[in-house]
Amino acid sequence: MIHGFNKTTLLDYPGHLAATIFLGGCNFRCPFCHNASLVLAPNSQPIISKEEVLSTLRKRIGILEGVCITGGEPSLYPGLIDLTKEIKDLGFLVKLDTNGTNPNIIKYLLESNLIDYIAMDIKNCKEKYSLSSGIKNTVIDKISESISLLINSNIDYEFRTTVVKNLHDASDFIKIGEWIEGANAYFLQAYRDSEDIIKKGLSGHSLDELKEFKEIVSPYVKEVSIRKI
């Protein structure tokens, strides 16, 4: 279900004026997630019809350049493929935010030219993934498959980690760097507290610490940047 629609954003799709569609539901329970209501209780959120969203997008042809589809975890949405087709038919670029647990969906979108940009979360190093995903049996093999799909794709993409002092230290970023070696872009996102967080009491690293982590990953990835969220 579509539970949110931001008609204009300069933040969600790098380099483009875009709209953002928020889909409910997620197979992770990341303690630092700042869309807790979409993850934990999507049915309690207002529902926006696809027709309403597409109608608004039609009116904004020539104004907007792209549409970001986020969540929750969008790859769980049964109508994702049809939604991307309809948005592409309107002439918009499409960006997908994903946790990478559904590589088959990512592969289909790539092979069908239905996606122009993918932002994939790397929650932590493999050994500590469950700590950051909030799920005991995280499907590391599927996440690795999605990493490979993006690195070998012909579209723009980024990997990103929300860095939390309670969950990450310097040694984790050596392992993350090795895992995504050869990637084009990796963003360290500074954790910020919010009202709609899954777990209270978390804290972020200092800018100096984030710069240290950036230097650790830099030998493995073409471009590493720090991003505030």
Side-chain angles (χ1 to χ4, degrees), residues 31 61 66 68 109 116 118 127 131 139 141 146 150 157 164 166 173 175 180 184 190 193 212-213:
I61 292 173
C68 175
L109 292 171
D116 301 284
I118 294 181
E127 294 83 355
L131 186 65
V139 283
D141 58 333
S146 294
L150 295 194
Y157 67 89
V164 185
N166 315 66
F173 291 95
K175 296 173 183 177
I180 63 171
N184 288 336
D193 206 0
E212 177 191 351
F213 302 155

Side-chain angles (χ1 to χ4, degrees), residues 111-127:
E111 291 179 345
S112 304
N113 297 314
L114 293 175
I115 211 83
D116 301 284
Y117 193 111
I118 294 181
M120 179 178 155
D121 294 320
I122 304 294
K123 304 295 183 181
N124 211 320
C125 64
K126 294 178 186 180
E127 294 83 355

Side-chain angles (χ1 to χ4, degrees), residues 16 39 44 51 57 59-60 71 79 93 100 116 122-123 127 161 173 182 189 195 219 224:
H16 296 283
V39 170
S44 70
E51 290 70 27
L57 290 176
K59 295 173 185 175
R60 300 182 72 76
L93 299 170
D116 301 284
I122 304 294
K123 304 295 183 181
E127 294 83 355
T161 299
F173 291 95
Q189 300 185 156
E195 290 300 315
V224 182

Side-chain angles (χ1 to χ4, degrees), residues 156-219:
D156 291 329
Y157 67 89
E158 68 180 60
F159 297 113
R160 60 192 187 183
T161 299
T162 299
V163 188
V164 185
K165 201 171 188 68
N166 315 66
L167 302 173
H168 302 99
D169 57 41
S171 65
D172 301 323
F173 291 95
I174 298 173
K175 296 173 183 177
I176 290 173
E178 292 172 343
W179 197 10
I180 63 171
E181 185 172 6
N184 288 336
Y186 177 59
F187 287 89
L188 297 165
Q189 300 185 156
Y191 171 76
R192 295 288 182 271
D193 206 0
S194 78
E195 290 300 315
D196 198 22
I197 208 82
I198 285 185
K199 182 179 179 180
K200 301 294 184 181
L202 302 176
S203 59
H205 286 274
S206 69
L207 181 57
D208 284 342
E209 288 171 316
L210 292 173
K211 288 179 178 178
E212 177 191 351
F213 302 155
K214 175 185 174 182
E215 292 304 311
I216 290 171
V217 182
S218 290

